[in-house]
Amino acid sequence: FDIENQCLAALAELDSPPELIKVLGSAGDSSLIDEVLRRNDVEVVFHAAAYKHVPIVEAHPLEGISNNALATEKLAHACMEYGVERFVLISTDKAVRPTNVMGATKRVAELLIQALNREASGTVFTCVRFGNVLESSGSVFGLFREQIRTGGPVTVTDPNMVRYFMSLGEATSLVLHAAGMAKGGEVFVLDMGEPVKVADLARSMIRLMGYEERTADVPDGDVEIKYIGLRAGEKLVEELVLSNHSISGTQHPRIWMSQEPAPEIEAFNSEFGNLKTATALRNVPLALASLERIVEGYYASRAFHSGLEAHEEYVLH
């Protein structure tokens, strides 16, 4: 509803607006995807469909795997079949050395796109990775604004938590530039400037909205900042690249290219098949064990490993 209204408002400003075609459905619905691509002769796909909230996906890992990883495979293969020229995966800084299911599933999607690009195909597959977009759905920016409006407290996980932030306009513009530069198999990384302490963002918003922070020194202030601790799977500091030595510049000053090894296709496809099977069986421990084998450095929670030991009689091939 919101996306349609925003698009219609933008198109109303044009003398000769293009036709806007709206489709309601899931990126994991193969029959719907086939129908959309066949009927509309699609040239470019920007794949942004993902469950992105870390604690929610941590609590519902199979849904995160299905939407973030398995649906990406279905859509990507359909794009190859229907001759889509470019497929651009919208990724996240949480995919770098992930400590949560959400980040691990997005890393799987990145590896999948790199693997598919190595297959004989007329479709250019590429990834664009960046951090938090201020105006995006469910962003901390919107949460803080609402908490300040209602008198607080403003909830911050940790005083030392830092995140990268970018405006919606900046992100969309840079994604389009990166898509145009893509030759295939790249992981583009957007220059998001210096990371910002989330607590500092909260203080700035309190001040900019015309209020005063309530502290021990200012007990009559309007809005308090309350620290609630890290939630399941969260990191204090997010990263955009695996190594500072692995990035190189591009023709755009705010777009980098991260030189990351592509997966060995046969091994990746085999383990990805295990991931699909475990998800279809709704076997959480085996699905997370498969995620661990695909994503280097990812380690699921101990609770899931206890569940894996109880299901060790299952062997997937």
Side-chain angles (χ1 to χ4, degrees):
F1 177 80
D2 289 339
I3 292 171
E4 179 181 355
N5 284 340
Q6 291 170 18
C7 289
L8 290 174
L11 294 176
E13 302 294 324
L14 303 178
D15 293 331
S16 300
E19 180 183 6
L20 176 65
I21 299 173
K22 294 89 64 179
V23 180
L24 177 64
S26 169
D29 185 339
S30 296
S31 59
L32 174 64
I33 294 300
D34 288 347
E35 179 182 320
V36 170
L37 295 178
R38 183 178 65 252
R39 287 187 176 183
N40 297 286
D41 193 23
V42 176
E43 295 178 348
V44 182
V45 167
F46 294 92
H47 180 39
Y51 292 140
K52 64 180 183 177
H53 296 280
V54 169
I56 294 177
V57 176
E58 203 70 13
H60 304 277
L62 296 180
E63 285 64 36
I65 293 169
S66 295
N67 197 50
N68 297 359
L70 305 190
T72 300
E73 185 207 27
K74 292 179 182 178
L75 180 57
H77 277 290
C79 287
M80 293 170 63
E81 180 181 350
Y82 288 97
V84 172
E85 294 178 11
R86 291 174 186 269
F87 181 104
V88 183
L89 172 71
I90 305 302
S91 192
T92 169
D93 53 358
K94 292 178 176 60
V96 178
R97 282 183 278 272
T99 57
N100 50 68
V101 177
M102 182 273 187
T105 56
K106 292 298 287 184
R107 180 59 180 156
V108 171
E110 289 183 348
L111 294 171
L112 172 70
I113 293 310
Q114 288 183 298
L116 288 176
N117 192 75
R118 295 167 64 185
E119 296 184 9
S121 168
T123 303
V124 171
F125 288 97
T126 194
C127 308
V128 184
R129 183 193 293 157
F130 51 96
N132 299 274
V133 176
L134 287 174
E135 298 93 336
S136 65
S137 173
S139 74
V140 70
F141 182 81
L143 173 64
F144 285 175
R145 182 169 53 196
E146 186 60 27
Q147 289 177 333
I148 294 168
R149 282 177 177 169
T150 56
V154 176
T155 54
V156 176
T157 52
D158 189 281
N160 295 313
M161 174 173 275
V162 297
R163 291 292 183 266
Y164 290 96
F165 291 100
M166 177 178 281
S167 73
L168 182 60
E170 287 178 301
T172 51
S173 175
L174 292 174
V175 165
L176 290 171
H177 277 289
M181 292 190 292
K183 299 287 192 298
E186 307 94 344
V187 177
F188 289 109
V189 179
L190 304 187
D191 178 3
M192 303 195 69
E194 293 298 318
V196 175
K197 278 194 173 184
V198 176
D200 290 344
L201 173 65
R203 291 190 183 93
S204 296
M205 290 185 64
I206 291 171
R207 185 178 67 256
L208 291 172
M209 291 179 67
Y211 298 98
E212 186 175 17
E213 181 186 355
R214 185 187 310 140
T215 65
D217 295 331
V218 188
D220 296 328
D222 306 296
V223 180
E224 175 191 8
I225 293 177
K226 182 178 180 181
Y227 296 104
I228 59 175
L230 289 175
R231 296 172 296 180
E234 286 188 319
K235 293 196 292 186
L236 280 178
V237 180
E238 298 288 1
E239 305 167 275
L240 286 166
V241 294
L242 293 172
S243 167
N244 289 333
H245 301 295
S246 69
I247 60 172
S248 59
T250 68
Q251 61 202 60
H252 194 289
R254 296 195 61 194
I255 301 174
W256 310 326
M257 193 183 302
S258 182
Q259 310 295 332
E260 299 178 7
E264 197 282 313
I265 292 177
E266 288 188 5
F268 177 83
N269 287 343
S270 175
E271 197 56 64
F272 195 85
N274 288 345
L275 183 65
K276 289 196 288 187
T277 302
T279 304
L281 293 172
R282 298 203 61 79
N283 189 316
V284 172
L286 286 183
L288 292 177
S290 185
L291 270 186
E292 289 183 345
R293 291 192 292 270
I294 295 174
V295 181
E296 183 179 358
Y298 170 65
Y299 186 79
S301 69
R302 290 185 178 181
F304 289 126
H305 275 278
S306 298
L308 179 60
E309 293 171 4
H311 291 77
E312 61 184 4
E313 69 271 20
Y314 291 101
V315 179
L316 299 180
H317 297 285

